[in-house]
Amino acid sequence: MGASGQRPVIAQRWRYQWLYTYIFVEPQTGQSEFLIFPTVNIPSMEIALRECSRAVYPEGRQLIVLLLDQAGWHMSKKLSVLPNIFLPPFPAYTPELSPAEPMVMKLKVPLANKTIGDLQEVEDLIVRECEILRSCPQEVKSLTLFPWIKHVLDSS
């Protein structure tokens, strides 16, 4: 028992494990692709870009425009980008412009208010939600085809 008025010292070991979901969405069609990685960094981003290109246009000839926030691994000069991919950034601090943001919120729903045993269970829940979203392009379109995107598409 510690001295009166002092908190006892207890040894703790905080452990964190992370998963990151890379989300690619085409708001006009609702087509979406998801990749789950244990980290976010330049090599993971390069893999994600190659997989996105392969999934969307396997022959690699069509131009893919991916709007990204300005995370370091998105904008790094060290990032090797395929010639058919163009990466314009959103203005800084504008997550509300990103069509991926509503998708992030959808992926968090199955995790909310749950006691989860391990990281594999988290991954399984995210994978299941990704599969649901991929099979529901109309829902994805309703979440991601923002008025500003529709305006840009209509004026082109």
Side-chain angles (χ1 to χ4, degrees), residues 8-24:
V9 176
I10 299 173
Q12 286 185 306
R13 185 172 152 237
W14 290 94
R15 294 183 313 135
Y16 295 99
Q17 294 177 306
W18 305 96
L19 286 175
Y20 298 88
T21 306
Y22 288 66
I23 301 169
F24 300 95

Side-chain angles (χ1 to χ4, degrees), residues 107-125:
L107 293 180
K108 288 181 178 181
V109 168
L111 304 173
N113 301 315
K114 287 195 185 331
T115 301
I116 298 173
D118 60 16
L119 198 59
Q120 185 60 54
E121 189 177 347
V122 171
E123 184 172 354
D124 293 344
L125 289 166

Side-chain angles (χ1 to χ4, degrees), residues 36 73 125:
I36 299 171
W73 61 92
L125 289 166

Side-chain angles (χ1 to χ4, degrees), residues 39 47 56 62 78 91 99 103 112 115 127 139-141 154 156:
T39 189
I47 293 168
V56 176
Q62 291 88 348
K78 296 177 183 176
M103 304 290 282
T115 301
V127 166
E139 180 181 3
V140 171
K141 185 176 176 177
D154 290 345
S156 60

Side-chain angles (χ1 to χ4, degrees), residues 24-96:
F24 300 95
V25 62
E26 207 298 316
Q28 192 172 20
T29 65
Q31 178 184 359
S32 55
E33 295 293 331
F34 304 88
L35 296 166
I36 299 171
F37 286 94
T39 189
V40 286
N41 57 24
I42 293 168
S44 295
M45 184 66 182
E46 290 172 347
I47 293 168
L49 292 174
R50 282 194 306 273
E51 287 300 310
C52 174
S53 180
R54 185 194 57 73
V56 176
Y57 296 121
E59 56 283 343
R61 287 185 285 243
Q62 291 88 348
L63 179 65
I64 299 172
V65 178
L66 292 173
L67 298 170
L68 299 172
D69 63 22
Q70 295 186 39
W73 61 92
H74 291 165
M75 300 286 110
S76 173
K77 300 273 188 233
K78 296 177 183 176
L79 183 66
S80 176
V81 181
L82 295 171
N84 69 318
I85 296 180
F86 180 61
L87 303 174
F90 281 112
Y93 307 107
T94 57
E96 69 278 3

